[in-house]
Short mmCIF file of all heavy atoms in Angstrom, two decimals:
data_model
loop_
_atom_site.label_atom_id
_atom_site.label_comp_id
_atom_site.label_asym_id
_atom_site.label_seq_id
_atom_site.Cartn_x
_atom_site.Cartn_y
_atom_site.Cartn_z
N HIS A 617 78.54 117.80 164.37
CA HIS A 617 78.20 118.93 163.54
C HIS A 617 77.83 120.18 164.33
O HIS A 617 77.24 121.11 163.78
CB HIS A 617 77.09 118.54 162.55
CG HIS A 617 77.53 117.30 161.77
ND1 HIS A 617 78.39 117.29 160.71
CD2 HIS A 617 77.29 115.97 162.06
CE1 HIS A 617 78.63 116.08 160.33
NE2 HIS A 617 78.00 115.25 161.12
N CYS A 628 82.85 121.07 156.51
CA CYS A 628 82.69 119.71 156.98
C CYS A 628 82.21 118.81 155.84
O CYS A 628 81.64 119.37 154.82
CB CYS A 628 81.63 119.75 158.06
SG CYS A 628 81.28 118.18 158.87
N CYS A 630 79.68 117.18 155.62
CA CYS A 630 78.23 117.26 155.50
C CYS A 630 77.83 118.48 154.64
O CYS A 630 76.66 118.61 154.34
CB CYS A 630 77.55 117.30 156.88
SG CYS A 630 77.78 118.92 157.65
N HIS A 635 82.16 123.02 161.60
CA HIS A 635 81.69 121.92 162.47
C HIS A 635 82.86 121.23 163.16
O HIS A 635 83.94 121.09 162.55
CB HIS A 635 80.87 120.90 161.69
CG HIS A 635 79.65 121.43 161.12
ND1 HIS A 635 78.76 120.67 160.35
CD2 HIS A 635 79.06 122.66 161.23
CE1 HIS A 635 77.69 121.42 160.01
NE2 HIS A 635 77.88 122.65 160.51
ZN1 ZN B 387 79.09 118.71 159.54
#
Side-chain angles (χ1 to χ4, degrees):
H617 307 279
C628 183
C630 74
H635 294 181

